[in-house]
Amino acid sequence: MTSDQIEARIDELLSAMTLEEKAGQMTQFFYFAEVDPESDVDVMGDLSSQPAMVERELAAGRVGSLLFCTQPSEINRLQRLTIEGNRHGIPALFGFDVIHGFRTIFPVPIATAASWDPDVAARGQAIAAKEARAVGIHWAFAPMVDVTCDPRWGRIIEGAGEDPCLGAAMAAAQVRGFQGDGIGSPDTLIAGPKHFAGYGFAVGGRDYDQSHISDEQLWNVVFPPFKAAVEAGAGNVMTAYMDLNGVPATGNVWLMQNVLRDTWGFEGFLVSDANAVRNLATHGLAKDLTDAGVRAVSAGVDLEMAVDDPAYAHLVDAVRSGVVSEEQIDTCVRRILRAKFQLGLFEEPYVDEQRAVEVLSDPTHREAARAAAVRTAVLLTNEPVDGQPLLPLSPEVKKVAVLGPLADAPRDTLGPWVFDFDLTETVTIAQGLRERGGDFGVEVEYAPGIRHGQRTFASMFDLWEGNAPVDPEGFDEEAEFARAVELAAGADVAVLVLGEWQNMIGEAASRSSLELPGRQLDLLDAVAATGTPVVVLLMNGRPLDVRPVMEKAPAILEVWYPGSQGGHAIAALVFGDESPAGRLPFTWPRSVGQIPMVYSHTISHEPENQWRRYWDVESTPLFAFGHGLSYSSFAYGDVNLSATSISVGESVTASVDVTNTGDRDADEVVQLYLHQRWGTASRPVRELKGFQRLFVPAGQTVTVEFPVGPEQLRYWNAAAHDWVIDPSLFDVGIGGDSTVELTVSFEVREG
Ligand code: GLC
């Protein structure tokens, strides 16, 4: 259908629909039929009758959308109930948290950001979209594009870290991956960047807490990834839970109308986060549930995501009492119906259940997940032992001890925010090392050493079967600890997998500490005391306090939660079939006390990192933003500028020769940083303004170029309350991480 035909059909429907039917289209319900009835988690209250309530509402034509349905036969059944439940045959929109894979699980989003390769993000989301659409899901509540510089915040794992440049590239790439050639093209989903906006600045890193963000930080740091997602054509945006500078995002007219729609021209539909409309009353913005609905509609929130008792059910009264106009309601309903027409749901509302089975079992999806996991790993340290780096393992290594419960934990290997996974096909690190080692006569033995099933608190997501950490029946930690140490003592190398259980991070999983949980450090100490060299693989989604680890392990490889094929990918990296080239997407603090800490800070005193800004710890991070080592080595030539003086509005090209000085082919992530010397605001000591991950054969040199123009030079100025380019001198550095020296400069003259 052409867009004119769609609008004409929508006009017909709106003129025929009752107010109740319109309010129904604006209502999206969870469908909690897949919650584990045995779960001891009561964070969501008694959900046992929730599915029946939803089915009643569907049959009464009072539902426009559903979420948390993943089985094609169920989706088809509920879709039929929806279509037959309303007079106009309007189908339901099925949305879901397709965050980093659907059945084939890719590395967690923070890991994909660590690849510094937007193609990894795009490819992963394209496969996730194909799998999810095959089962009948139409829309992903992703990409999550919240910038954050607070690792205490559990949802750091869902985004792309602290930087707006990297974040914007990852956001746009994911939208392209989800939506392919455009909304409605085959095997694609509507992309729904979230959570608009400022959620990652929750005070104390406490999930859901308020955010106080200056206009300067909003426009220069928080907004760019959302703007990039909108410019990439995202068909949906999800609102945030928290209040931004005192006004709850979900009722925030300035955010949703002035910024999103009027400034950026967003034309898609807006959905609230779960119960975030009714929570406007909890916030104390709205007087009651009816007022909450009115405030959200006035902010332009088209669809209310709710567990039950939706606020939008009260819109009928609100229109009749004149508090909100039917035109406002029609505007919301129009955007929702437009998405359904664009997706072709009126013509083809059901899915082919046999085809779904074929799509979900496509082996090329598994290979893509393995390749992605290889590209996300970050080599943090690789100190030489007897003159040789421990990684990749030497061919002389014939016996490897793989230790720690996370080494053989399928559920943790997938990370949080996954639901339709297949644990039986998940390749753990121990399994991957054992298979790869076996191919080359290397004996690989595993021992957990310590308990895994420690649950300080249950996570909301333990509601779904298989999420809670468990230990094997009759686990005898003392005996297991001794067995692990014995294995280490008899091995050439001990590979110890340390990190956080996957339910310790994600939503409602912030932490007040960055310490390794459980007895992991005790295990490390005992293993290191055997004298066997130790390689540590980190399985986590936030920077952890690894200072004690660095004292005992010469080599640390950040492997994140690497997904369904993680074991194969990590084995290839550990044995050297692949070379790590990932880079940190955040500043890695030494301790939780340093938070928040970003590389792109301003400066008031020279030198930048005065020794004692804290009395008790250095003011520098443990690892810098953009840090990551390689199995090879790279040398950078001098930075060349195509001009040393331009006027405002013009561009200069910065270029550099990068040489692979090592003996093996490898990727390098070349990063461009800028610093504005003076102007009408204090500007960061450096900001990432461009990056390229590229393959450089051993001994070869490549020339890398970056444009530096208005897009890179402008910034939102709090005094001018607008975007400006200051005439100034700009320092430029190009290197392998954010500590690069800014060695050349160019002038920007008055226009
Ligand atoms: C959650 C999250 C949001 C998610 C939604 C549906 O509370 O905040 O990211 O998409 O509810 O699961």
Side-chain angles (χ1 to χ4, degrees), residues 467-704:
N467 276 346
V470 289
D471 289 307
E473 281 299 313
F475 187 85
D476 175 345
E477 186 162 68
E478 195 176 332
E480 283 296 340
F481 196 94
R483 186 166 76 89
V485 174
E486 187 184 348
L487 260 185
D492 300 322
V493 172
V495 176
L496 187 50
V497 183
L498 302 174
E500 288 180 322
W501 326 136
Q502 66 81 23
N503 74 343
M504 294 181 73
I505 190 163
E507 183 177 358
S510 295
R511 283 188 70 196
S512 64
S513 134
L514 299 179
E515 288 163 13
L516 286 164
R519 297 187 56 208
Q520 297 186 90
L521 289 180
D522 295 344
L523 183 60
L524 169 65
D525 291 347
V527 167
T530 66
T532 298
V534 179
V535 170
V536 164
L537 305 180
L538 283 179
M539 184 180 282
N540 55 308
R542 57 160 62 94
L544 297 172
D545 185 350
V546 293
R547 289 174 294 179
V549 178
M550 294 170 73
E551 291 168 11
K552 303 287 174 66
I556 304 174
L557 181 67
E558 174 59 75
V559 301
W560 314 105
Y561 300 97
S564 303
Q565 298 294 307
H568 289 322
I570 304 318
L573 290 160
V574 168
F575 282 100
D577 308 331
E578 302 274 6
S579 176
R583 292 294 199 281
L584 291 179
F586 45 58
T587 300
W588 189 305
R590 297 170 186 276
S591 83
V592 72
Q594 289 179 306
I595 293 169
M597 183 179 231
V598 292
Y599 81 92
S600 56
H601 56 79
T602 55
I603 185 170
S604 62
H605 284 67
E606 288 287 355
E608 179 181 343
N609 291 310
Q610 284 186 86
W611 174 244
R612 283 291 179 217
R613 307 245 302 275
Y614 291 104
W615 183 83
D616 57 347
V617 73
E618 295 85 348
S619 62
T620 53
L622 192 62
F623 300 113
F625 173 80
H627 169 77
L629 304 179
S630 170
Y631 290 163
S632 189
S633 55
F634 291 88
Y636 284 72
D638 294 338
V639 177
N640 297 306
L641 296 173
S642 59
T644 54
S645 177
I646 58 173
S647 61
V648 170
E650 291 181 328
S651 299
V652 65
T653 299
S655 62
V656 71
D657 285 349
V658 181
T659 304
N660 180 340
T661 55
D663 57 5
R664 62 177 291 156
D665 299 350
D667 279 14
E668 172 65 352
V669 177
V670 182
Q671 303 160 45
L672 167 84
Y673 292 89
L674 277 189
H675 167 57
Q676 173 178 317
R677 288 266 190 95
W678 65 78
T680 53
S682 172
R683 300 297 296 135
V685 291
R686 61 181 61 79
E687 286 180 288
L688 178 73
K689 291 295 182 182
F691 61 90
Q692 293 178 40
R693 175 167 176 155
L694 35 88
F695 173 75
V696 188
Q700 299 293 307
T701 295
V702 294
T703 299
V704 188

Side-chain angles (χ1 to χ4, degrees), residues 28 30 32 44 67-68 96-99 140-142 144 146 155 158 192 194-195 199 207-208 238-241 271-275 305 417 419 460-461 464 507:
Q28 175 187 54
F30 282 85
F32 277 129
M44 306 275 282
L67 68 147
F68 269 83
F96 193 53
D97 291 289
V98 186
I99 310 298
F141 308 140
M144 190 277 212
D146 297 307
R155 305 197 76 167
E158 297 173 49
K194 66 185 182 183
H195 308 77
Y199 189 15
D207 205 4
Y208 311 130
M238 181 185 290
T239 69
Y241 280 127
V271 66
S272 74
D273 202 339
N275 285 342
M305 180 189 290
W417 278 113
F419 298 91
M460 163 186 358
F461 295 97
W464 279 267
E507 183 177 358

Side-chain angles (χ1 to χ4, degrees), residues 266-286:
F266 175 65
E267 294 181 340
F269 67 98
L270 257 171
V271 66
S272 74
D273 202 339
N275 285 342
V277 173
R278 60 180 303 112
N279 289 353
L280 293 179
T282 312
H283 274 284
L285 181 82

Side-chain angles (χ1 to χ4, degrees), residues 178-195:
F178 277 127
Q179 297 188 166
D181 298 332
I183 293 171
S185 43
D187 298 330
T188 64
L189 300 177
I190 287 180
K194 66 185 182 183
H195 308 77

